């Protein structure tokens, strides 16, 4: 045997051996305390859809085969794979066990086998994906089943027609994600992370699961509270209804029945909620609701959900300035800019406890609101906000920052908008409504934010009007800190580092005055930074006391701004993210940089400042 042949055989054995090695987290970066709690056999085992719950489901998170191949190879599932990847952690993340970049010139393949029992075949069988970034093609037993574009909205495929004989079935997923080389929404992902731009997230990053349902089943609900009428507006979409089938709705408060109604196919329900217990940060009361399909008195399908009675609106005060109202009363909304990144999981929190931790700490610090910044979270994050009473402003993830600019008149002189390509515009117009629709039932969300700081901002009046029409029950912040156009409910200023506000004399009579970002006070904490040096902050401090002293000065200025008409403010930011060290907490969540009790005291005084 020649030396070259022997070397090639030896190399193939080494490569194969490495591909077959058991899962381990990629070393080299800081990690959270929850990383060690991740069970590779059952990561993120919690039920992923708390607004539409059925008891029967199968979690497909865990170790899948993966391969990274050149892009454009077609729809043929690879004959061999590079190794194992831990779903649902993006391939670039440490928790995936891979930690590799992909980019526009390559495709990422996933594969696994599943057992489908005869009981799961009796009705219909859905394969659900919480989120896959960005273009996903699903194959069942080698046959193409569905293609989905969109990195932030859930999607499903009914797979019964693709199943073969026997229990063992094959699922494969092909993903292409061009990151910042493409026009798609991507938030802060870039192929060359630096400053405020972070590591790409490619592939499956939320839970994958199977759900068997009856042939006749409930597909979705849309729930909108109306506290002025003491009622819940509910519509139910169902599939496979037969003549004579009825939809039964029961609303309860604990063990107490609030209302019960019955309707037919396509029915909408106006459910009375007498003397409603209003949802707020101080009292996040949730009602339960059960929706059933009945046939000749027999339950064919049933789901459980919940709702809250709350209202977000605007109205002028005695000074003629518009203010944001919660349940018809002014409440100053104050919270951090929350980007939802993790050093070990990137877009994906290691565990549900980790996902909950950020919200709980934000609440403990005395904030009553979170601005979810150019990212969408898994449904369970919003569920936790609903339970804990955390108001949420939801951004549309930005994208297409490389389009050509054109000038146009704005309300404050000259503004600018992007002249996006037809492809880019179509992608945005598909994904934003899909995101809004998927999140509609979460009462914690009170504000939609279509654009941030002119990042990809285009046709602002048109997009804002469409957003308002799609959901009249919430407020719309057309462009947070962006090109100011006379559209939407708010005028939103970004100002670093000091707090400031839009001019009330110019805007206050017609729009809510908002400080959409400020602060950015940085404190790198040794042993808890993404990299050892060259970290970045808007304004850096050497110790926690200096940081707190500066922050206290900012908080002492806020009551005067509130009295002048400021309705809300957003502080940058919840945690450090990669090289950014502006967080209230370190990126690994192991250090809170200012005393929680001090923050809570400062915030409670400010939030309770009257507007008049």
């Amino acid at each position: 045997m020649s030396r070259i042949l022997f070397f090639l055989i030896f190399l193939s054995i080494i490569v194969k051996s490495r591909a077959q090695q058991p899962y381990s987290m990629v070393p080299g970066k800081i990690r959270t305390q929850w990383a060690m709690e991740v069970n590779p056999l059952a990561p993120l085992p919690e039920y992923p859809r708390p607004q539409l719950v059925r008891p029967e489901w199968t979690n497909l998170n865990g170790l899948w085969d993966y391969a990274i191949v050149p892009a454009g190879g077609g729809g043929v599932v690879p004959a061999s794979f590079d190794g194992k990847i831990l779903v649902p952690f993006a391939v670039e993340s440490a928790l995936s066990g891979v930690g590799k970049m992909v980019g526009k010139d390559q495709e990422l393949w996933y594969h696994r086998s599943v057992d489908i029992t005869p009981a799961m075949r009796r009705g219909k069988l859905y394969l659900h994906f919480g989120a896959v970034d960005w273009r996903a093609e699903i194959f069942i037993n080698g046959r193409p089943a569905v293609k989905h574009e969109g990195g932030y909205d859930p999607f499903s495929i009914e797979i019964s027609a693709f199943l073969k004989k026997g229990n063992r079935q094959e699922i494969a997923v092909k993903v292409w994600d061009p990151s910042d080389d493409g026009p798609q929404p991507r938030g802060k992902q870039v192929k060359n992370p630096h400053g405020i731009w972070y590591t790409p997230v490619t592939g499956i990053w939320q839970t994958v699961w199977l759900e068997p349902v009856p042939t006749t089943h409930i597909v979705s609900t849309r729930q909108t509270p109306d506290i002025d009428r003491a009622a819940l507006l509910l519509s139910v979409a169902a599939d496979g209804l037969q003549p004579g089938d009825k939809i039964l709705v029961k609303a309860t408060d604990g063990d107490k029945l609030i209302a019960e109604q019955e309707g037919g196919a396509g029915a909408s329900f106006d459910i009375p909620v007498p003397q409603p217990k209003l949802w707020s940060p101080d009292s996040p009361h949730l009602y339960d609701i059960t929706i059933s399909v009945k046939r000749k008195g027999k339950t064919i399908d049933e789901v459980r959900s919940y709702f809250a009675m709350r209202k977000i609106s605007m109205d002028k005060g005695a000074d003629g300035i518009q203010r944001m109202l919660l349940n018809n009363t002014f409440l100053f909304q104050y919270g951090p800019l929350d980007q939802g990144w993790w050093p070990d999981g990137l877009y994906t929190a290691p565990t549900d406890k980790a996902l909950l931790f950020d919200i709980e700490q934000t609440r403990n610090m005395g904030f009553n609101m979170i601005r979810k910044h150019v990212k969408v979270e898994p449904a369970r994050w919003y569920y936790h906000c609903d339970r804990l009473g955390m108001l949420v402003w939801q951004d549309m993830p930005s994208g297409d920052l490389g389009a050509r600019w054109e000038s146009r008149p704005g309300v404050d002189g000259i503004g600018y908008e992007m002249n996006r390509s037809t492809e880019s515009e179509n992608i945005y117009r598909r994904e934003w409504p899909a995101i809004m629709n998927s999140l509609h039932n979460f009462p914690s969300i009170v504000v939609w934010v279509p654009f941030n700081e002119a990042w990809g901002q285009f046709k602002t009046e048109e997009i804002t009007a469409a957003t308002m029409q799609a959901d009249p029950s919430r407020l719309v912040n057309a462009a947070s800190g962006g090109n100011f156009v006379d559209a939407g409910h708010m005028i939103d200023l970004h100002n670093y580092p000091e707090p400031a506000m839009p001019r009330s004399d110019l805007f206050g009579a017609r729009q809510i005055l908002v400080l959409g970002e400020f602060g950015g006070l940085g404190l790198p904490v040794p042993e808890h930074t993404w990299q050892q040096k060259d970290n970045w902050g808007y304004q850096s401090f050497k110790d926690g006391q200096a940081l707190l002293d500066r922050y206290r000065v900012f908080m002492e200025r806020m009551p005067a701004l509130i009295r002048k008409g400021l309705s809300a403010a957003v502080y940058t930011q919840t945690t450090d993210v990669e090289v950014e060290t502006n967080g209230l907490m370190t990126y690994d969540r192991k250090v809170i940089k200012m005393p929680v009790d001090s923050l809570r005291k400062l915030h409670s005084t400010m939030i309770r400042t009257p507007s008049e």
Side-chain angles (χ1 to χ4, degrees):
M1 182 183 294
S2 69
R3 291 183 178 181
I4 294 176
L5 180 59
F6 177 81
F7 175 76
L8 291 175
I9 293 174
F10 176 76
L11 182 62
S12 68
I13 292 172
I14 293 296
V15 171
K16 184 176 182 181
S17 173
R18 287 182 178 177
Q20 295 175 345
Q21 286 179 355
Y23 165 82
S24 63
M25 183 177 171
V26 178
K29 294 292 186 181
I30 57 174
R31 62 185 66 179
T32 66
Q33 61 182 322
W34 302 280
M36 302 309 296
E37 298 176 10
V38 173
N39 177 4
L41 300 179
L44 294 168
E46 294 81 12
Y47 191 81
R49 193 184 57 196
Q51 277 280 7
L52 197 73
V53 178
R54 287 188 181 92
E56 298 298 325
W57 70 293
T58 302
N59 196 326
L60 297 185
N61 291 344
L63 292 171
W64 293 47
D65 304 318
Y66 88 93
I68 299 173
V69 302
V76 179
V77 180
S80 62
F81 291 85
D82 300 341
K84 296 292 186 180
I85 184 171
L86 188 60
V87 170
F89 300 101
V91 66
E92 295 90 350
S93 72
L95 275 170
S96 73
V98 179
K100 295 179 181 178
M101 297 283 193
V102 180
K104 67 179 178 62
D105 296 323
Q106 300 183 104
E107 293 167 344
L108 170 64
W109 278 88
Y110 297 82
H111 169 268
R112 69 162 289 169
S113 299
V114 296
D115 284 327
I116 306 299
T117 65
M120 297 171 73
R121 294 175 180 257
R122 288 175 187 160
K124 294 188 175 182
L125 184 61
Y126 280 92
L127 175 61
H128 299 285
F129 291 85
V132 183
D133 196 355
W134 173 69
R135 178 187 296 155
E137 297 180 54
I138 315 303
F139 299 81
I140 308 298
N141 295 317
R143 296 168 59 193
V146 72
K147 180 187 288 186
H148 178 267
E149 291 183 347
Y152 301 94
D153 60 307
F155 65 98
S156 306
I157 175 67
E158 204 280 298
I159 64 172
S160 299
F162 298 92
L163 301 180
K164 61 185 180 181
K165 292 182 179 179
N167 287 0
R168 204 70 168 169
Q169 313 291 328
E170 307 294 321
I171 299 174
V173 181
K174 183 177 78 170
V175 179
W176 179 70
D177 177 19
S179 188
D180 54 324
D181 286 321
Q184 82 290 350
R186 58 177 171 81
K188 289 195 171 184
Q189 304 175 55
V190 294
K191 61 183 180 294
N192 179 30
H194 61 282
I196 65 169
W197 309 102
Y198 317 135
T199 303
V201 173
T202 299
I204 299 170
W205 66 275
Q206 291 187 28
T207 292
V208 185
W209 53 296
L210 285 168
E211 181 185 33
V213 300
T215 302
T216 300
H217 60 278
I218 296 159
V219 176
S220 63
T221 68
R222 187 174 179 89
Q223 300 155 198
T224 306
D226 186 340
I227 71 168
D228 297 326
R229 295 176 51 250
L232 176 75
L233 304 177
L234 171 70
S235 61
V236 180
D239 190 28
L241 290 175
Q242 297 182 9
D245 287 353
K246 298 294 184 182
I247 295 175
L248 180 66
V249 176
K250 289 184 179 180
T252 56
D253 183 5
D255 295 331
K256 180 183 178 182
L257 179 65
I258 300 297
E260 185 173 1
Q261 291 186 6
E262 189 177 80
S268 294
F269 300 87
D270 194 340
I271 302 170
V273 185
Q275 298 178 323
K277 299 174 182 177
L278 301 183
W279 184 97
S280 71
D282 289 335
S283 180
H285 187 80
L286 300 177
Y287 293 89
D288 294 315
I289 191 165
T290 303
I291 303 122
S292 309
V293 177
K294 297 283 187 178
R295 179 175 299 155
K296 298 179 181 179
K298 181 182 178 181
T299 299
I300 303 300
D301 186 33
E302 183 173 278
V303 296
R304 292 182 293 107
S305 188
Y306 66 88
F307 67 94
M309 298 299 292
R310 69 100 186 90
K311 176 184 177 182
I312 188 72
S313 60
M314 60 188 288
D315 199 9
K316 288 183 180 180
D319 55 5
I321 295 174
Q322 294 282 358
R323 286 182 172 82
M324 185 160 43
L325 309 181
L326 180 68
N327 301 329
N328 296 323
T329 301
F330 175 74
L331 173 69
F332 185 74
Q333 296 188 24
Y334 182 51
L337 192 76
D338 191 305
Q339 306 202 62
W341 285 76
W342 300 83
D344 32 39
L346 298 180
Y347 259 14
T348 310
T351 67
D352 195 63
K353 287 194 295 185
L355 194 70
L356 176 61
F357 177 84
D358 282 4
I359 306 168
E360 288 182 324
Q361 289 304 313
T362 300
R363 190 172 185 269
N364 292 340
M365 292 174 186
F367 295 104
N368 63 4
M369 175 263 282
I370 293 171
R371 180 181 168 204
K372 180 52 61 177
H373 188 45
V374 295
K375 185 203 176 189
V376 178
E377 291 290 356
R380 290 192 63 84
W381 186 86
Y382 302 94
Y383 166 64
H384 291 316
C385 289
D386 292 345
R387 292 191 306 108
L388 296 178
M390 186 60 67
L391 298 162
V392 175
W393 294 16
Q394 179 62 54
D395 285 14
M396 169 61 178
S398 52
D400 199 1
L401 304 188
R404 184 173 62 83
W405 292 87
E406 60 182 14
S407 63
R408 47 149 295 151
V411 296
D412 58 343
I414 297 297
Y416 297 91
E417 288 190 330
M418 277 194 171
N419 182 16
R420 294 171 81 149
S421 68
T422 300
E423 179 191 18
S424 171
E425 181 173 337
N426 288 341
I427 290 171
Y428 182 101
R429 289 182 181 274
R430 285 196 307 267
E431 190 159 1
W432 181 223
I435 290 169
M436 292 176 61
N437 185 61
S438 71
L439 299 179
H440 179 86
N441 289 348
F442 295 104
S444 53
I445 299 175
V446 293
V447 175
W448 298 119
V449 187
F451 298 113
N452 174 76
E453 289 187 355
W455 296 354
Q457 186 178 344
F458 74 104
K459 299 182 180 177
T460 309
E461 294 100 325
E462 186 178 336
I463 295 297
T464 302
T467 303
M468 294 168 69
Q469 183 177 9
D471 186 4
S473 71
R474 290 180 170 96
L475 299 177
V476 177
N477 184 358
S480 182
N483 297 322
F484 301 132
V485 176
D486 191 5
H489 300 105
M490 303 180 184
I491 186 77
D492 180 329
L493 174 70
H494 290 186
N495 194 75
Y496 286 99
E498 290 87 359
M501 65 182 289
R503 289 181 57 179
S504 59
D505 58 332
L506 291 180
F507 307 107
R510 64 179 182 271
Q511 288 180 298
I512 299 166
L513 307 174
V514 166
L515 174 58
E517 291 181 30
F518 81 104
L521 303 180
L523 176 63
V525 179
E527 309 302 325
H528 298 278
T529 54
W530 182 249
Q531 58 191 30
Q532 294 303 310
K533 60 180 181 178
D534 298 326
N535 293 293
W536 181 85
Y538 286 96
Q539 183 178 11
S540 293
F541 296 83
K542 293 183 178 180
D543 58 66
Q545 185 59 53
L547 177 66
L548 177 61
D549 290 343
R550 182 62 169 157
Y551 185 80
R552 181 180 289 110
V553 171
F554 288 177
M555 293 303 97
E556 290 171 348
R557 297 178 185 175
M558 295 296 287
L561 299 179
I562 297 170
R563 286 190 290 270
K564 291 179 180 178
L566 188 68
S567 276
V570 178
Y571 177 81
T572 300
Q573 60 186 334
T574 306
T575 71
D576 296 346
V577 184
E578 298 198 355
V579 302
E580 274 192 84
T581 57
N582 303 311
L584 295 159
M585 297 183 284
T586 55
Y587 197 18
D588 58 13
R589 277 73 167 175
K590 293 179 180 178
V591 178
I592 299 176
K593 300 180 185 180
M594 294 180 281
V596 170
D597 290 344
S598 298
L599 292 174
R600 186 167 56 247
K601 184 177 180 181
L602 287 169
H603 299 161
S604 63
T605 301
M606 178 184 65
I607 287 173
R608 290 172 185 160
T609 298
S611 61
E612 303 297 340

